[in-house]
Each structure stands twice: as C-alpha cells, then as structure tokens.
Amino acid sequence: GRAFNDSFVQKEKEKLSYDLVPMKNGGVGVKVMYMDEEHIFSVEQISAMLLTKLKETAESNLKKPVTDCVISVPSFFTDAERRSLLDAAQIVGLNCLRLMNDMTAVALNYGIYKQDLPAPEEKPRIVVFVDMGHSAFQVSACAFNKSKLKVLGTAFDPFLGGRNFDGKLVDYFCAEIKSKYKLDPKAKVRALLRLYQECEKLKKLMSSNSTDIPLNIECFMNDTDVSGKMNRSQFEELCADLLQRIEMPLLSLMEQTQLKVEDVTAVEIVGGATRIPAVKERIAKFFGKDVSTTLNADEAIARGCALQCAILSPAFKVREFSVTDATPFPISLLWNTEAEDTEGVHEVFSKNHAAPFSKVLTFYRKGPFELEAFYSDPNGVPYPESRIGKYVIQNVAAQKDGEKSKVKVKVRVNTHGIFSVSTASMVEPVKSEESEDVGVETEVESQDQRPIENSSDVMLLHQEEVRKMIFFFSPTQTNEKKGDQPPEAKKPKIKVKNVELPIEANLVWQLGKDLLNMYIETEGKMIMQDKLEKERNDAKNAVEEYVYEFRDKLSGPYEKFVCEKDLQGFSALLTETEGWLYEEGEDEAKQVYVDKLEDLKKLGTPIEMRYQEAEERPKLLEELEYRLQYYATIAGEFRNKDEKYIHIDEMEMMKVEKCVSEVVEWMNNAVSAQAKKSLDQDPAVHSSEIKGKLQELNNVCEPVVTQPKPKVDSPKEENPLNEQSDYKTEDMGDDDKNSEMPQQNGECHPSDQNTISMDLD
Ligand SMILES: *[C@@H]1O[C@H](CO)[C@@H](O)[C@H](O)[C@H]1NC(C)=O
Ligand SMILES: *[C@@H]1O[C@H](CO)[C@@H](O)[C@H](O)[C@H]1NC(C)=O
Ligand SMILES: *[C@@H]1O[C@H](CO)[C@@H](O)[C@H](O)[C@H]1NC(C)=O
Ligand SMILES: *[C@@H]1O[C@H](CO)[C@@H](O)[C@H](O)[C@H]1NC(C)=O
Ligand SMILES: *[C@@H]1O[C@H](CO)[C@@H](O)[C@H](O)[C@H]1NC(C)=O
Ligand SMILES: *[C@@H]1O[C@H](CO)[C@@H](O)[C@H](O)[C@H]1NC(C)=O
C-alpha cells in the first residue's frame, strides 16, 4: 500500500538484509532467487505467500480446508494499506470477512469472556489497551457494556516498537566492537543480523535480571570472538528517548476521548515489548495504577481475530457480542458546486466516528459530478498521501422540466475500515404535477438496502447504528447544511423512483484488475510448484529411507533370509544408491527416484517376503492343525454315537472325514517340503495357501457340525418369532440411537450439521 519512493519505505529498506526494488507501477518489489532464477515479487505477493503458509498450517491442524479468515491490521493503516492487504488475501483465495484493527481484536478477546460487565443502563466500564509489539505502539480506550464493546478512541506511534530497543543495543555494541576489536559489523549483513539476534536475547534477559548480563558472540567477524555486557539501568539510560515517547499517544488518547485517568477501570497491556520493565512502569505511572497482564501478550490479537471470525462465520455459535469500532482518521469530501465555480467540502466521518457506518448525502445536479475523498488531518496520518480517491457520479441528467435532479449518494466506512462511495441514485418523480416538491430538502438516512441474506451482512447491519443525517445542497443556498429540519408532514406523497447511478472510482494506490489476476495465477502456479517439489522430495526421501532401513535389517532380522552371494550384491547396490543420492542423484525428477526405488525393491521384496512368510507360517500351521484336530474329534464322537451329533446325516459326516484326511495329507506334504528348504530360499508353501486350506476346511466342515438339533417336542417354539424378537432387539438398538438424536438436536439443529457449538466459558 505504499510507493517505493515513500520515505517510510526508504527508511525501512536500509534495515533489510534483502533488496527492495521499485515496481513498474511505482510500488515496492522484493528481489529473490526462486527456482534458480532472480524474481521480483510485489509486497502484495509476498504477503500472499505468508497467508498461504498460514492457511496451510491452519488446514493441516484443523484437517479441513480454510477459506474464511479475519486479518488484523494496525489501527493506523490507511485505506491504501488495507486494500493492499485485502488484495493479498484475494491472491490466495482467502475470503477475508473482516480486516480488524489490532486493538479492537484485543478488546474483543478481553470482553467476550467477561461475565461481570455493567448492565446496559449502568455506566460502561472503561478499559485502556496498550500494545507495543515489534514495530509499533498502539493504544485504545474502550467502553464495555454487557455483550457490547465500543471503541472510544485510538492513538499510536507507528515507529516505536521492540525493534527500536534492539536497535539501541545494536548501535551501542557496534560502537564498542569498533573501538575494541577494530571491526565494523555494519559492513557485513550476516554479522549485523547475528548481532541483532544476540541483542534481542540480551534485551529479554535484562527484563528479568537487573544485574550485568554478558554478550558473547563466537567467530563474529574475521574469526574474532567478541564480548560485552550491559545491565538494565544502563539500558534504560540508553533508551531514554524511546521511553519518553510512550507518554504522547497516551495523552492524545485521553484528550480525544475526554477521559480522565480516574475513569479508567483497568489498563491491559499486550505485545512483546510491554515486557520491558521500564515500558510497563511508564504506562503504570501515567495512569496512576498497576497495569494488568491478564491477556496473552503475544497472541491476544490473533485470538481476538479468531473470535471475530467465529462470530462472522455461520459455522460457529458464539455468544452475542457486538463490536463498534472507531474511524482513526477524519475523512472529508470535496466537490465542485455547479452554480458558481466554487468548491464545497464537508467532513463526513469525524475522528473516532463509529464504524462500520453509512451516510447518505443529497446533491442537486444537472449533470455528472465528482467527489474527492481525503483525510482531513494529513498531519495525523502516517502516510504521505492524504487523498483517498475520486468518485465520478455518472449518468446524472437534469429533469424533464430542466430543473436539477436530486441525487442521493451513500458513503460508507465498511467493516474493513475502508472508505467508499458505495451507491448513488437519482430520484425521479414519476408524476410531474407535484414538481413543486423539488427543493424540499429533507433527507433521512436510509438503512443499508442490501438484502439481508448473508450472515456477515446481518452482522454488519446489526452493528451499524443508523443515524439521521440531514444534509442538502439547494440551488439557492449552495454549500449550506441544514440540521434537523422537521419533515413536512403536510406534503402530499409523490411517487418517486430511484435510478441507480454508476460510480467510477479512481482510488489512490489500487492494484489493477489485470495485475491482480496475474498475481492470482502466479500464486496458483507457485503453490502447484511447491506441491510438485514436495512430491519429488518425498520420492527422494523414500529411496533414502529404503536404503537405510534395509541396510539395518539386513544385518538384523533379514540376515538369515538372504544367501551370502545375494547379500553382497544387494549391500553393494544399497551403498551405491546412497552415494548416488548425494551426488549425481541429488537433484533428479520424481520419476527417477520412483524407478530407483523399484530397482531396489526387486531385490529387497523377496527377502522381505521370506521373512514375513517365516513369521506367519508356524502360526498358520498351528491353527490348521488345531482345526483338523477339532473336526477329527467330532467325527470320532459321531462314530461313537454321541448324543450331541446323533442328528447329523451319515453322508454329510463322511464329507467331513474325507476333507479332514485330504487336508491332513496336504499339510504333511507341505511341512516335509518346507523342511527341505533353507530360510534363504523361497518357501515351499506360502501362507496364503495355508490360509486357503483353512478356509476350505472350515467351509466344508463347519456347516455340518453346527447343524441345529431339531426340537421334536415343541416345534412352535422354534418359530421365527424368536428370530424376529432377536431382530426386534436390534431394532430397539437402532431406536435407542434414534431416540438419542432428538436430544442432540436440542443443542445442535439437524440443519446445522456444520454448526460447532463453542462454549466460551
Ligand atoms: C513518488 O512517485 C510518484 C509517482 O510514482 C510521484 O507522484 C511522487 O511525487 C513521488 N514522491 C516522491 C516523494 O518522490
Ligand atoms: C451502555 O449502555 C448505555 C445505555 O443503553 C448506552 O448509552 C451506552 O452507550 C452503552 N455503552 C456501550 C459501550 O455500548
Ligand atoms: C550497571 O552498569 C553500570 C555501568 O557499567 C554500572 O555503573 C552500574 O553499577 C551497573 N549496575 C548494576 C546494578 O550492576
Ligand atoms: C540473574 O540474576 C541472578 C541474581 O539475581 C544471578 O544469580 C544470575 O546469574 C543472573 N543471570 C544472568 C544470566 O546474569
Ligand atoms: C577482516 O577481513 C577482511 C577480509 O578478509 C579484511 O579486508 C579486513 O581488513 C579484516 N579486518 C580486520 C579488522 O582485520
Ligand atoms: C455474502 O456477501 C458477500 C458480500 O456481499 C458476497 O460476496 C457473498 O457471495 C455472500 N455469500 C453468500 C453465501 O450469500
């Protein structure tokens, strides 16, 4: 969302260990090596890659695809920066339900769990949130009612964060290393990055320890080990100017919101840099009370976003909690008046105006006209460009009688905190007799007229306090606003129709459609490429794994199952393959690895098979022998006229006896043939054959020996009713399941199959 020549980008560029370059459109590109070639990716593309990574991480943890998300932004992000991030989400195919201001996410994460918030009629609870992260310092004041949070104001120092404190340490040690070792760390990027890492560690240690902490880096530059030390009080002295800057945003916040420190119930701090004791002390001193650290300093924002995403997503049930954000920068509109060639200007959204929010403005025009939106306080916006965009309201024409047409223009700060001229319409009287009505300039804010079909929209409407906005420009009273004019009730109702007007928007810093589409396509290709690369790597790893695993087993469990000659040949092949993997085979196509693995398996699989056969064979033979014994015993008892088997037909029992003796013979042959084989030869009988025989034996004998005894005395009892009642029991089982369903349905509606009840307590 920034131009390459933006001084902010230029300052940032100096600190980076990679190259930033200008893009054709004046934007920022990052120069990298990709697939052995130099490539330049736009910042939107790089952000998209990060989002791809996060999406994949989320998907692999959730084990389902992720498309909806909420992304946090610093509250001081301008429209251009917000749109840029939305573009990045679009490149990845993520549906960003909301760009959420960091501090609002923190406040949601704080408030939604609180059970003891004041009732709506009581005084709201005021909580100040303070966040100092890696690069920025942000504060906000929020009012909490039961199930409701309203952001009262925000303030920030976008250039004050943990990295500035690291920078102080780096500068200090650079100077020390220069004088002590005659080395210049700033001359070598690698050394400087290492120094940054070590200084960050040192900073963290100093937060918990006020004694001297050593800094030691081995082989820092030119094979020299360097060392130094620092303690907390020294560090605080070094960072005095940074610490002083903490107060400014706090003062600004209190001034904007007209709050006194006594009004503040709690001060919650988040962000890594708020762990620095001096930072904490400054904040506590300002408010005259201890700061609270009840929120997770590193995850508070992400958790808030996750909660917001659950609220906006129809797939989750979350406790009702309404969030009203505040517009960080006042926004004004500028237009040319038709009559005289003068300009009109009006601040449509004041600082800290509730958001999201829509307003309707009414203009009287004979032709198309232009509106220009801009931040009305450029000095308060950390961005070099105060213009937001130009909007041409097209197709405006005079009425049939030559009079000016009434044009209603809806302007909006949307759920992402982005300003837009969202719709425009021309009001045409259907009957012209009552044209006297033209010039009556009462306009009431209309509700968002989009059909409510979609849960995120419902959410939006819910939050938007729709207020009255009376605003008009009459032909005679150019640029004059009239407040709260009572509607003239006596007026006869004239029929009007609204004609939608096209709006041509020309936004500052907007990616063109073509460029965006190209980025989407490129990102898709790179994701595919990553997949292919992963498959190729997997194929290579499979070869490597096979080599190591087999070599291990050849000198272990497989040893007996391969003859000396084969063992030597195979071992040699494994060693050769290993060497190949690290040399000419290091970077091959997937198929080459697949083929290689096949070659190894040609030798390895028979050994593996012999081993497995030898493991299974004794167990299977034992089972077969057991079954043979079992059926032979029954046959013997039958011959002895045992009561149990008296009902079995003689012919059938003879089939059993025949089968048993055949299988006994087969088994004896198999066992003696196998006895002649050594372990390194393929087996004479395979376990699958033994399984087959076992199956055959059971198939022939089991039905015969398990024949039910006929019940001579009471054939009635042997009726199918018994079976039926058995079935009934089963049905009852199902019924039971069914009867459980409605209970579940009490919590989880059947149509809400995807609903996950989230218990936030
Ligand atoms: C930056 O470049 C844009 C055009 O890409 C130009 O309009 C603007 O004036 C330049 N700003 C500076 C500070 O050079
Ligand atoms: C709390 O409730 C009161 C009364 O309904 C209302 O005036 C006030 O704006 C509410 N505060 C918040 C934070 O919504
Ligand atoms: C911190 O370091 C300074 C300068 O080396 C020294 O004067 C001071 O005594 C040290 N303080 C502690 C608590 O070690
Ligand atoms: C931290 O402080 C304790 C004493 O308070 C000391 O024993 C310890 O060595 C210190 N740790 C470091 C890394 O200096
Ligand atoms: C460090 O090494 C570089 C190149 O090897 C050499 O140019 C430089 O003079 C050395 N610096 C010191 C202080 O020895
Ligand atoms: C929800 O609303 C968005 C924005 O208006 C729209 O793009 C999307 O298609 C809607 N989704 C459904 C399911 O209606």
Side-chain angles (χ1 to χ4, degrees):
R2 286 182 184 263
F4 180 75
N5 64 9
D6 187 325
S7 67
F8 173 86
V9 173
Q10 288 305 310
K11 253 204 325 238
E12 210 56 30
K13 186 172 181 288
E14 287 165 19
K15 298 182 204 152
L16 301 172
S17 52
Y18 48 88
D19 264 347
L20 293 188
V21 291
M23 304 286 286
K24 272 203 201 86
N25 65 358
V28 183
V30 181
K31 197 151 80 174
V32 296
M33 294 300 286
Y34 174 69
M35 308 275 291
D36 294 329
E37 276 174 36
E38 196 175 276
H39 278 258
I40 291 171
F41 293 108
S42 72
V43 164
E44 288 84 2
Q45 285 180 290
I46 300 283
S47 304
M49 291 171 200
L50 171 65
L51 290 173
T52 295
K53 178 69 185 164
L54 292 172
K55 181 173 185 279
E56 282 168 2
T57 303
E59 283 176 343
S60 77
N61 279 281
L62 294 169
K63 309 214 162 36
K64 60 172 106 158
V66 169
T67 49
D68 290 348
C69 67
V70 166
I71 303 176
S72 70
V73 289
S75 52
F76 52 80
F77 257 30
T78 56
D79 277 22
E81 290 163 294
R82 287 167 195 262
R83 284 195 307 262
S84 173
L85 198 50
L86 286 180
D87 285 341
Q90 210 183 328
I91 292 170
V92 185
L94 274 173
N95 178 29
C96 180
L97 301 176
R98 179 170 198 176
L99 283 184
M100 192 168 202
N101 289 325
D102 287 342
M103 302 315 287
T104 311
V106 173
L108 172 59
N109 177 25
Y110 172 87
I112 199 165
Y113 295 100
K114 288 271 180 289
Q115 295 283 28
D116 59 344
L117 292 174
E121 60 281 0
E122 290 172 54
K123 245 177 83 179
R125 179 185 304 174
I126 309 292
V127 180
V128 168
F129 297 94
V130 181
D131 169 31
M132 194 187 287
H134 181 62
S135 62
F137 181 52
Q138 303 181 68
V139 295
S140 77
C142 297
F144 290 91
N145 267 1
K146 203 139 205 87
S147 313
K148 190 173 189 321
L149 121 73
K150 187 173 191 313
V151 180
L152 303 175
T154 55
F156 44 80
D157 183 338
F159 308 110
L160 178 61
R163 65 175 183 171
N164 300 90
F165 290 86
D166 300 342
K168 288 281 183 187
L169 290 173
V170 167
D171 287 344
Y172 173 87
F173 285 110
C174 273
E176 193 175 275
I177 289 166
K178 229 175 188 161
S179 71
K180 222 162 123 184
Y181 303 94
K182 310 275 173 275
L183 291 168
D184 179 14
K186 293 197 172 171
K188 213 172 148 201
V189 176
R190 261 184 114 79
L192 191 61
L193 285 177
R194 261 185 93 190
L195 186 57
Y196 258 101
Q197 274 174 9
E198 292 303 320
C199 286
E200 199 189 337
K201 276 190 218 156
L202 178 66
K203 177 187 71 177
K204 286 178 182 169
L205 285 173
M206 284 190 292
S207 289
S208 59
N209 212 322
S210 59
T211 58
D212 280 347
I213 313 273
L215 176 107
N216 295 308
I217 313 176
E218 283 173 15
C219 282
F220 182 60
M221 285 176 89
N222 288 25
D223 288 330
T224 313
D225 300 346
V226 299
S227 66
K229 67 176 165 62
M230 181 162 299
N231 63 41
R232 193 190 289 169
S233 56
Q234 235 179 320
F235 175 58
E236 285 172 7
E237 219 169 279
L238 199 61
C239 298
D241 60 329
L242 298 179
L243 294 169
Q244 229 164 23
R245 281 160 63 185
I246 289 173
E247 202 177 81
M248 282 294 288
L250 298 176
L251 273 173
S252 156
L253 181 72
M254 301 313 269
E255 202 179 283
Q256 288 170 40
T257 55
Q258 297 289 304
L259 288 169
K260 294 187 287 293
V261 290
E262 306 88 76
D263 300 331
V264 177
T265 309
V267 180
E268 287 283 344
I269 58 168
V270 297
T274 56
R275 291 192 178 98
I276 300 172
V279 171
K280 232 187 277 187
E281 279 158 24
R282 292 280 169 144
I283 300 165
K285 192 168 154 234
F286 180 89
F287 289 100
K289 59 163 66 77
D290 282 345
V291 293
S292 323
T293 51
T294 57
L295 298 170
N296 182 306
D298 304 306
E299 296 169 10
I301 295 171
R303 285 167 187 233
C305 289
L307 287 164
Q308 177 70 80
C309 198
I311 289 173
L312 294 175
S313 160
F316 292 88
K317 273 192 202 165
V318 185
R319 176 188 301 153
E320 278 285 309
F321 200 86
S322 122
V323 179
T324 307
D325 210 329
T327 316
F329 309 119
I331 296 168
S332 292
L333 272 183
L334 180 85
W335 60 85
N336 284 318
T337 57
E338 229 168 28
E340 304 103 73
D341 218 4
T342 55
E343 284 185 335
V345 64
H346 177 71
E347 188 166 287
V348 274
F349 293 101
S350 55
K351 186 171 174 68
N352 295 331
H353 190 292
F357 205 96
S358 298
K359 287 184 177 183
V360 173
L361 314 179
T362 303
F363 295 87
Y364 289 87
R365 293 302 161 106
K366 284 181 180 167
F369 60 104
E370 191 179 87
L371 298 170
E372 185 174 342
F374 62 97
Y375 295 115
S376 19
D377 175 24
N379 291 333
V381 184
Y383 196 80
E385 176 64 76
S386 63
R387 288 174 306 154
I388 296 172
K390 279 186 179 164
Y391 307 83
V392 181
I393 315 299
Q394 296 174 320
N395 294 7
V396 180
Q399 292 181 65
K400 289 197 187 76
D401 58 9
E403 283 297 321
K404 293 181 177 183
S405 292
K406 182 170 168 183
V407 178
K408 294 199 281 189
V409 175
K410 185 154 88 185
V411 295
R412 179 170 163 79
V413 171
N414 68 16
T415 186
H416 305 306
I418 295 174
F419 174 85
S420 69
V421 173
S422 54
T423 60
S425 61
M426 188 158 58
V427 185
E428 284 185 351
V430 172
K431 283 192 174 171
S432 57
E433 297 118 54
E434 278 119 329
S435 66
E436 45 162 310
D437 207 50
V438 177
V440 174
E441 308 90 359
T442 305
E443 186 54 50
V444 176
E445 156 77 321
S446 65
Q447 297 234 352
D448 206 320
Q449 261 136 27
R450 268 185 307 164
I452 306 172
E453 277 163 2
N454 167 319
S455 70
S456 58
D457 283 333
V458 176
M459 176 75 191
L460 275 180
L461 280 179
H462 200 67
Q463 287 173 13
E464 258 166 354
E465 301 169 44
V466 180
R467 283 196 200 149
K468 238 177 157 188
M469 171 82 192
I470 295 142
F471 202 50
F472 76 95
F473 309 95
S474 78
T476 46
Q477 298 163 290
T478 315
N479 291 354
E480 214 186 287
K481 291 174 262 169
K482 271 189 192 164
D484 287 313
Q485 219 173 40
E488 277 150 81
K490 56 171 188 101
K491 277 243 141 39
K493 277 202 176 118
I494 49 153
K495 284 193 179 154
V496 295
K497 74 174 184 201
N498 284 309
V499 182
E500 283 288 317
L501 300 174
I503 303 164
E504 185 195 297
N506 192 347
L507 301 171
V508 168
W509 209 251
Q510 172 86 329
L511 277 189
K513 218 83 244 88
D514 290 349
L515 198 54
L516 186 59
N517 284 335
M518 193 191 87
Y519 287 164
I520 291 172
E521 197 180 312
T522 308
E523 178 65 13
K525 278 187 195 151
M526 289 191 291
I527 291 173
M528 275 310 294
Q529 181 57 44
D530 282 356
K531 278 214 180 81
L532 290 178
E533 181 61 18
K534 184 177 179 300
E535 282 172 18
R536 196 178 73 91
N537 256 309
D538 288 350
K540 185 182 174 194
N541 286 341
V543 176
E544 197 173 9
E545 222 169 86
Y546 195 85
V547 168
Y548 290 125
E549 199 180 311
F550 233 93
R551 201 159 37 199
D552 261 11
K553 287 188 171 164
L554 278 180
S555 55
Y558 290 178
E559 198 175 8
K560 288 176 283 179
F561 299 91
V562 54
C563 66
E564 189 53 34
K565 189 175 130 268
D566 287 355
L567 178 64
Q568 278 178 4
F570 194 30
S571 293
L573 181 61
L574 290 175
T575 307
E576 183 196 311
T577 306
E578 186 188 5
W580 175 82
L581 277 173
Y582 295 104
E583 279 160 34
E584 61 277 36
E586 202 195 340
D587 195 20
E588 288 288 347
K590 175 183 163 191
Q591 194 55 42
V592 176
Y593 296 116
V594 171
D595 293 345
K596 204 75 176 173
L597 186 61
E598 276 313 301
D599 289 347
L600 293 175
K601 280 187 170 172
K602 269 185 206 134
L603 295 177
T605 306
I607 302 170
E608 211 170 1
M609 182 270 287
R610 289 196 286 270
Y611 168 79
Q612 255 153 23
E613 286 286 328
E615 289 281 291
E616 282 180 27
R617 194 168 47 239
K619 288 180 215 145
L620 285 167
L621 285 173
E622 197 177 310
E623 194 184 344
L624 185 59
E625 198 176 350
Y626 172 82
R627 294 308 289 182
L628 285 168
Q629 197 72 56
Y630 170 72
Y631 293 123
T633 307
I634 290 177
E637 284 168 348
F638 174 82
R639 290 292 164 210
N640 288 334
K641 306 257 183 290
D642 191 306
E643 264 294 301
K644 277 189 283 182
Y645 305 110
I646 203 98
H647 62 285
I648 297 174
D649 182 67
E650 163 108 35
M651 291 296 285
E652 294 206 37
M653 195 49 94
M654 280 168 69
K655 276 199 294 192
V656 170
E657 286 165 335
K658 182 162 167 277
C659 183
V660 167
S661 72
E662 276 170 12
V663 174
V664 167
E665 195 189 339
W666 178 86
M667 189 172 126
N668 287 339
N669 287 339
V671 168
S672 68
Q674 182 59 37
K676 292 185 195 116
K677 297 275 185 184
S678 62
L679 285 176
D680 59 19
Q681 287 178 305
D682 280 348
V685 55
H686 288 262
S687 44
S688 59
E689 294 171 85
I690 308 174
K691 277 183 195 152
K693 280 289 164 198
L694 196 55
Q695 189 74 51
E696 187 187 320
L697 180 70
N698 285 335
N699 285 350
V700 171
C701 305
E702 199 62 12
V704 175
V705 305
T706 57
Q707 272 173 49
K709 243 177 159 173
K711 294 235 165 131
V712 270
D713 35 355
S714 53
K716 250 193 199 161
E717 271 184 36
E718 206 226 337
N719 66 13
L721 251 182
N722 258 337
E723 280 174 24
Q724 260 194 2
S725 76
D726 270 325
Y727 275 128
K728 250 211 167 112
T729 329
E730 274 181 37
D731 272 347
M732 293 283 280
D734 277 343
D735 276 345
D736 269 345
K737 269 184 219 152
N738 286 335
S739 71
E740 269 171 39
M741 290 279 282
Q743 284 176 342
Q744 285 181 345
N745 290 349
E747 298 161 51
C748 171
H749 214 261
S751 62
D752 289 344
Q753 288 275 325
N754 292 324
T755 304
I756 298 163
S757 229
M758 235 168 83
D759 186 357
L760 287 166
D761 302 322

